[in-house]
Amino acid sequence: MAKKKEADFFELIQQEANFTNELTIKVKELFGEFEKDSNFSGLNERLDEIHKLEHKGDEVHSAIVTELNRAFITPIDREDIFYVSANINRLTNAIENVAFRLWMFNIKELRPDAHAFIELIGKCSEKIVEIMADFKNFKKSKILTEIIHQAYEYENDGDRIYRNAVRDLFETEKDPIEVQKWREFYHDMEKCFDACSDLAGSVERAALKNS
């Protein structure tokens, strides 16, 4: 009987991050279409595409958990692999949630601040792919620490965008329902920056612990 091939955990983590980035690209496209026409007929179709990518990411996360339970030896501590994968999953869910808020809150028109949020979420996702691509080289990498700290800076940028957006919301919006929905919407988008930073932190801790 042929021996089962050992799982490549770094490759699986990279796959999971790639699905996150594919999903983020779809979310950016959705917001671009919505900005042009909030009544465009493809909203449900776009949300379905986004959810399918989230599900593919879930499948990779589940595969990682299964292989961790099965593996006798892992390249780094199994709890570190789990936490990195779980944080990718958390980021994916946060970004998917932003897309579904358009439908759930029945958003009719995007506020100007939304574009800055989505652009920065896209940068976070791209940076995570970059981090995961170099994660396997953590013992010799000359750039891993630098790109992790770039992800931390994105969280700081996101906090500034969030604070300014909420201030502008309370200064300019008179409809209390709109204030409520956008305050929550901004908070949901800000959660993406927190998730990105937490994910970068889990990689940094794993690299330091296993070096």
Side-chain angles (χ1 to χ4, degrees), residues 81-95:
I81 296 170
F82 173 79
Y83 285 132
V84 170
S85 177
N87 278 323
I88 296 173
N89 188 255
R90 178 188 164 210
L91 175 61
T92 307
N93 290 338
I95 297 172

Side-chain angles (χ1 to χ4, degrees), residues 10-159:
F10 290 115
E11 175 61 28
L12 287 170
I13 286 171
Q14 182 74 66
Q15 288 178 20
E16 190 179 2
N18 287 342
F19 280 127
T20 303
N21 196 48
E22 287 182 42
L23 181 150
T24 306
I25 290 170
K26 290 290 184 183
V27 172
K28 287 182 66 179
E29 290 174 352
L30 169 61
F31 271 73
E33 291 175 312
F34 197 89
E35 195 168 20
K36 293 176 183 175
D37 179 13
S38 60
N39 294 313
F40 82 100
S41 59
L43 177 59
N44 289 334
E45 181 182 344
R46 295 292 184 272
L47 291 176
D48 186 55
E49 291 173 357
I50 288 165
H51 184 64
K52 285 178 180 177
L53 286 168
E54 186 274 337
H55 182 65
K56 288 181 179 180
D58 275 346
E59 289 179 334
V60 179
H61 175 61
S62 295
I64 289 171
V65 173
T66 298
E67 291 299 332
L68 282 174
N69 288 327
R70 180 181 295 156
F72 182 66
I73 298 174
T74 55
I76 59 175
D77 284 357
R78 64 187 68 229
E79 68 176 11
D80 294 321
I81 296 170
F82 173 79
Y83 285 132
V84 170
S85 177
N87 278 323
I88 296 173
N89 188 255
R90 178 188 164 210
L91 175 61
T92 307
N93 290 338
I95 297 172
E96 181 197 27
N97 189 51
V98 166
F100 274 84
R101 287 304 198 202
L102 290 175
W103 175 77
M104 291 170 63
F105 289 168
N106 194 27
I107 300 293
K108 296 300 184 183
E109 183 178 357
L110 291 178
R111 290 179 62 85
D113 319 87
H115 180 75
F117 276 100
I118 293 302
E119 285 300 309
L120 188 56
I121 289 170
K123 289 181 180 180
C124 287
S125 178
E126 291 171 358
K127 188 59 61 178
I128 289 305
V129 169
E130 193 178 343
I131 290 170
M132 295 309 154
D134 202 53
F135 187 22
K136 62 181 177 292
N137 305 315
F138 70 91
K139 289 185 178 180
K140 298 180 180 180
S141 176
K142 296 180 179 179
I143 64 168
L144 185 59
T145 298
E146 179 184 349
I147 56 180
I148 285 172
H149 283 257
Q150 288 169 358
Y152 293 155
E153 283 302 310
Y154 288 155
E155 182 192 19
N156 293 332
D157 293 342
D159 287 342

